[in-house]
Amino acid sequence: MLEGSFLSHLVELRVRMIRILAVLMLGFLPCAFYARELYTLLAQPLLEKLPQGGQMIATDVATPFFVPMQVAMMMAFVITLPHTLYQIWAFVAPGLYSHEKRLALPLVFGSSLLFFCGMSFAYFAALPLVFEFITYFAPEGVAVMTDISKYLSFVLSMFIAFGVTFEVPVFVIILVRTGIITIDKLKEIRPYVIVGAFIIAAIFTPPDVVSQFMLAVPLCLLYELGIFIAALMIKKQQQVDATDITPAKQDASAQKDVPEKTD
C-alpha cells in the first residue's frame, strides 16, 4: 500500500514536471524570436551610461548567439513562472492541512511578487546608478566596454541578490508563524540585522558604495515590514481564537447553570 502510494506520487511528479517543461518551451519560442531585442532591453541600463562611442563586445565566437538565447530562456522562465508555481502548488496541496493551505498560497503569491519587485528595483534603480558610478570613475583615455556574457552574468547576480533580498518579509513571517522566533526577539536583534545587511551587500554587490547602500537599505526596511506584517497576523489570529473560545465558554457555563432533573 505504501509502495503504491509512493509510486503514484512519483507518477504525478513526473506529469507536473512534463507540464512545466512543455509550457516553458512554448514560452521560449516567441522569446527566442525576439532574443536580440530582449538582450538590448536588458543591456539598456549600461548602454545609456556609456560615453560617446562606447559599446559592448563579444570575445567568443558563439557568444553573439548563445547569450541572447540565455536571455530568452530567462524571460520565458519569468513569463511562465505563475504556471510553474501552480503546478508545484497542485502537487503539494493534497498533503497540507487546511490552515497550512491558507498560509501557503498567499506566501507563494507574495514571494513571487516580491521577487519580481526586487528584479524591477535592480533594473530601474540600482543598475543605472551603479553603471553611472563606474563610468564616471573610468580614467581618461580608457574605453569603457564589457563582454556581453560577462554583463549577463553580472546582471543575473544582481537580479538574484535583489530578488532574494525582497523575500525578507516572507522569511520573517514564516519564522514567526512557525514559532521559531518571536516578534520581541526580532526587534531585539535589529542592530545585528542592520550590520548583517551591510555585510551581505558588500559580498553580493560590486565594490562600490552606491550598490551596497542600494541593497542594504531596502533589506533593513523590508525586515521592518516583515515584523509589522507578522505582528498584524498574530494579532488577527488572537482575535479569531478569542472569538472561537468565547461561545464555547458561554455554552459550557449555560450547561453548568441548568439544574439537574430529579425523579
Side-chain angles (χ1 to χ4, degrees):
M1 186 68 179
L2 182 60
E3 183 179 355
S5 177
F6 178 72
L7 290 176
S8 64
H9 280 84
L10 286 180
V11 171
E12 184 181 0
L13 178 61
R14 176 176 173 271
V15 172
R16 299 291 180 186
M17 292 298 297
I18 291 175
R19 291 177 181 177
I20 291 173
L21 293 176
V23 173
L24 180 62
M25 293 308 299
L26 288 176
F28 172 73
L29 293 178
C31 292
F33 185 78
Y34 293 101
R36 294 167 56 189
E37 290 78 5
L38 289 174
Y39 186 86
T40 302
L41 181 65
L42 185 67
Q44 203 62 34
L46 176 61
L47 294 175
E48 291 179 350
K49 303 301 179 182
L50 288 177
Q52 188 70 25
Q55 59 183 349
M56 304 181 73
I57 61 175
T59 56
D60 293 333
V61 176
T63 298
F65 171 76
F66 283 112
V67 171
M69 288 298 107
Q70 291 174 2
V71 175
M73 181 58 72
M74 181 184 70
M75 183 60 65
F77 173 78
V78 173
I79 293 174
T80 61
L81 185 59
H83 175 265
T84 302
L85 294 176
Y86 170 76
Q87 293 298 327
I88 296 174
W89 167 254
F91 178 73
V92 301
L96 299 177
Y97 294 106
S98 58
H99 68 279
E100 292 175 337
K101 291 180 181 180
R102 290 195 299 267
L103 179 63
L105 193 58
L107 286 179
V108 169
F109 175 78
S111 61
S112 303
L113 180 61
L114 287 173
F115 195 87
F116 289 147
C117 291
M119 293 177 61
S120 301
F121 182 82
Y123 181 82
F124 291 105
L127 290 177
L129 289 177
V130 170
F131 294 140
E132 184 174 2
F133 180 84
I134 292 174
T135 55
Y136 176 79
F137 279 94
E140 188 70 25
V142 174
V144 181
M145 294 185 293
T146 184
D147 182 73
I148 59 175
S149 62
K150 292 182 178 179
Y151 175 80
L152 178 60
S153 299
F154 174 79
V155 171
L156 286 179
S157 64
M158 292 288 286
F159 281 168
I160 294 174
F162 279 87
V164 174
T165 296
F166 273 63
E167 299 289 334
V168 168
V170 176
F171 297 149
V172 171
I173 291 172
I174 292 175
L175 290 175
V176 173
R177 292 287 294 180
T178 54
I180 297 176
I181 195 170
T182 62
I183 298 293
D184 293 335
K185 189 64 177 179
L186 288 172
K187 294 179 180 179
E188 181 182 342
I189 64 174
R190 182 182 287 127
Y192 302 100
V193 172
I194 295 175
V195 174
F198 281 91
I199 293 175
I200 293 173
I203 295 174
F204 292 101
T205 59
D208 62 274
V209 179
V210 176
S211 59
Q212 292 177 11
F213 269 89
M214 293 291 287
L215 183 62
V217 173
L219 198 155
C220 297
L221 295 177
L222 290 167
Y223 179 77
E224 297 297 331
L225 177 63
I227 294 176
F228 177 74
I229 296 176
L232 287 180
M233 294 178 67
I234 290 178
K235 184 177 180 181
K236 183 178 180 181
Q237 185 63 40
Q238 291 175 347
Q239 293 175 350
V240 172
D241 294 341
T243 303
D244 294 339
I245 293 174
T246 302
K249 287 184 176 180
Q250 291 177 350
D251 293 341
S253 61
Q255 293 176 2
K256 187 176 181 180
D257 294 337
V258 173
E260 296 182 358
K261 293 182 178 180
T262 56
D263 294 335

